[in-house]
Amino acid sequence: MKRVECEILAPAGRAADIAPLLKNGADAVYVGLAGYSARPESSDFSAEEIWEALPSVHEEGKKLFAAINANVPGEKIEELCGLIEELDEKGIDALILSDYGLMNRVSKVVRHAQLHASTLTGVYNHEDVRMLQEMGVSRIILSSDLFVDEIVDLTDKVPDMDYEIVADGGICFNSNRQCLLPHFGQKEGYSVYCQKEYELLKDGTFLGPAKRIGNPPGKIHRTMGIYLGMGIRSFKVEGRTNHLDYILQRVKDMAESKKFYLEHLSEIPGMMHYIRRSNWYEV
């Protein structure tokens, strides 16, 4: 049977979260680099904290990624590139980047870490995949608003790229690169206005609950086999700002599904029959 790689990638917003995430099924953990992450600094790691976490992660045979996906002003680029080179020398396994110019520059200096294109890059077509591949990117985290047939088209046309999806987390109804709705931190986590509950009012009178603006969070662990058949090899759980218990349950769900589907690989071609025109999936 052909060996299939399947990675569960979990978020960590605190150093103490890393060990239990690995223990409960995560193959890799990603953290935000403080000051350069698209999340509040309270859930980010300083460069020193990332360095301190690396040895214990590697001792477990697992991986640690750093997310650098905020908009970076020009005057901060040199400082950031210096931090990236240090992270690379210290052994960070991958850098999750969202800026094309930064990816192009970093690809010329990074010697060990993989470069992953964040979902915030908004990859929708195979031309973009090829361009990023030529820039040294080895994995693309696909835009969360792609449909199944669009994902299959990408993985068919560029099969030699590593693909990741947001398997548990926010599914934006629009391009998540251009969200104009407020994002804010609060006691129970990190929220965006499209996920809040609203009420319909007329002249101050309550008419009833309003339909939520955004889509409900995606949870694909029950259908992981279909995505494995598409060529997806990494399944990301979102939620660096959420409480550990919330994240752990989602990691456990993904780990349970991973175990099931890797034990039933021979059934996946049947799952793909109505999705792929050419059922080339090998087991």
Side-chain angles (χ1 to χ4, degrees), residues 73-131:
E75 62 270 18
K76 301 284 284 185
I77 290 294
E78 293 302 328
E79 175 186 327
L80 174 57
C81 287
L83 287 174
I84 286 174
E85 289 188 60
E86 289 187 69
L87 287 170
D88 182 46
E89 289 298 324
K90 295 284 186 179
I92 196 73
D93 295 288
L95 301 163
I96 304 171
L97 307 174
S98 62
D99 184 273
Y100 284 80
L102 184 61
M103 278 187 272
N104 188 48
R105 176 165 175 171
V106 167
S107 67
K108 297 175 173 58
V109 297
V110 165
R111 296 190 295 173
H112 310 291
Q114 291 187 347
L115 299 185
H116 295 178
S118 167
T119 185
L120 297 179
T121 54
V123 173
Y124 301 102
N125 54 63
H126 69 275
E127 290 90 353
D128 204 0
V129 175
R130 287 294 189 197
M131 180 183 72

Side-chain angles (χ1 to χ4, degrees), residues 218-232:
K219 300 178 187 300
I220 65 92
H221 64 278
R222 297 299 185 195
T223 55
M224 182 186 282
I226 293 176
Y227 290 89
L228 283 169
M230 290 183 208
I232 305 299

